[in-house]
Amino acid sequence: MTTKTKFLLLFFVISALFSCKTSQLKNTSIPETGMFKVIILYPNGEDKTFDMGYYEKKHMPMVAGFIGDNLKFYEIDKGISGRTPTDKAPYVAIGYFYVYDIDKYNKSIAQNRDAVVADFKNYTNIQPVVQINEIKQVKFNSVKK
C-alpha cells in the first residue's frame, strides 16, 4: 500500500468515527412520547433580577444531580423579546427537565426541596412558576432546506 493510500484510508476511518459520535450526540436530546417535561418559568418584570451564569453553571446542574438517572436531559432558554423585537420578553428565563417518570421526579425534588429553594437567592428574586406536561407527540419537519 502506498503512503497516499494509507493516508486516505486513515482519513476515511477517522471521518467515519467522528460522524458516528456526532449523530449519537444529536439523538440524546430528543424528547420521546410518554416522557414528562417539567417547565420552570421566571416571569419578567420591574426590579426582577436573574443571574444566568449561576443558573447555568450551578443551579440547574445541582437540580439535575438530584433527579439522577430519571433525567434524560435539560434545557435552559434565555428570554430575548416578546412577540415583536421591541416587546420585552415575558420570561427572563425558562428551564426544562425531561424526565422518564414523574413520580420519581416528584420524590427526588421533595427530598431536596430545601436545597433547591435555598439556592434561589443565589441567582434570582423571582418566584418561579412550574408546570408539568406529558409529551404526547414528537414530530420533526420533513422539509429540507
Side-chain angles (χ1 to χ4, degrees):
M1 236 186 221
T2 67
T3 303
K4 186 177 180 180
T5 307
K6 287 180 185 177
F7 175 77
L8 286 173
L9 183 60
L10 179 62
F11 174 78
F12 286 120
V13 168
I14 290 172
S15 296
L17 289 173
F18 277 114
S19 67
C20 289
K21 185 158 179 109
T22 302
S23 66
Q24 182 182 12
L25 290 174
K26 287 179 184 174
N27 292 332
T28 61
S29 60
I30 296 174
E32 302 167 23
T33 302
M35 290 183 69
F36 298 89
K37 183 183 345 180
V38 180
I39 306 168
I40 306 96
L41 304 123
Y42 293 88
N44 206 349
E46 288 296 315
D47 302 320
K48 302 292 183 183
T49 61
F50 195 90
D51 182 342
M52 182 61 76
Y54 186 93
Y55 189 65
E56 288 180 272
K57 293 176 180 67
K58 302 283 185 178
H59 185 77
M60 288 292 274
M62 176 188 71
V63 178
F66 295 150
I67 299 169
D69 63 1
N70 186 33
L71 178 67
K72 181 166 186 179
F73 67 99
Y74 68 87
E75 295 178 323
I76 299 170
D77 291 346
K78 177 182 178 181
I80 57 171
S81 72
R83 184 180 10 198
T84 69
T86 57
D87 290 343
K88 205 172 194 177
Y91 301 98
V92 294
I94 304 174
Y96 307 87
F97 290 111
Y98 292 82
V99 299
Y100 298 103
D101 185 312
I102 200 61
D103 292 330
K104 285 183 182 178
Y105 167 83
N106 286 328
K107 185 177 178 181
S108 64
I109 294 302
Q111 290 172 344
N112 297 286
R113 186 180 191 287
D114 292 341
V116 172
V117 172
D119 197 43
F120 289 171
K121 70 181 181 303
N122 294 318
Y123 68 93
T124 191
N125 65 354
I126 302 170
Q127 177 65 47
V129 175
V130 177
Q131 179 170 314
I132 298 173
N133 296 337
E134 180 182 358
I135 299 172
K136 298 301 289 180
Q137 189 175 76
V138 178
K139 294 282 184 181
F140 295 94
N141 186 359
S142 60
V143 177
K144 302 216 178 191
K145 287 186 176 183

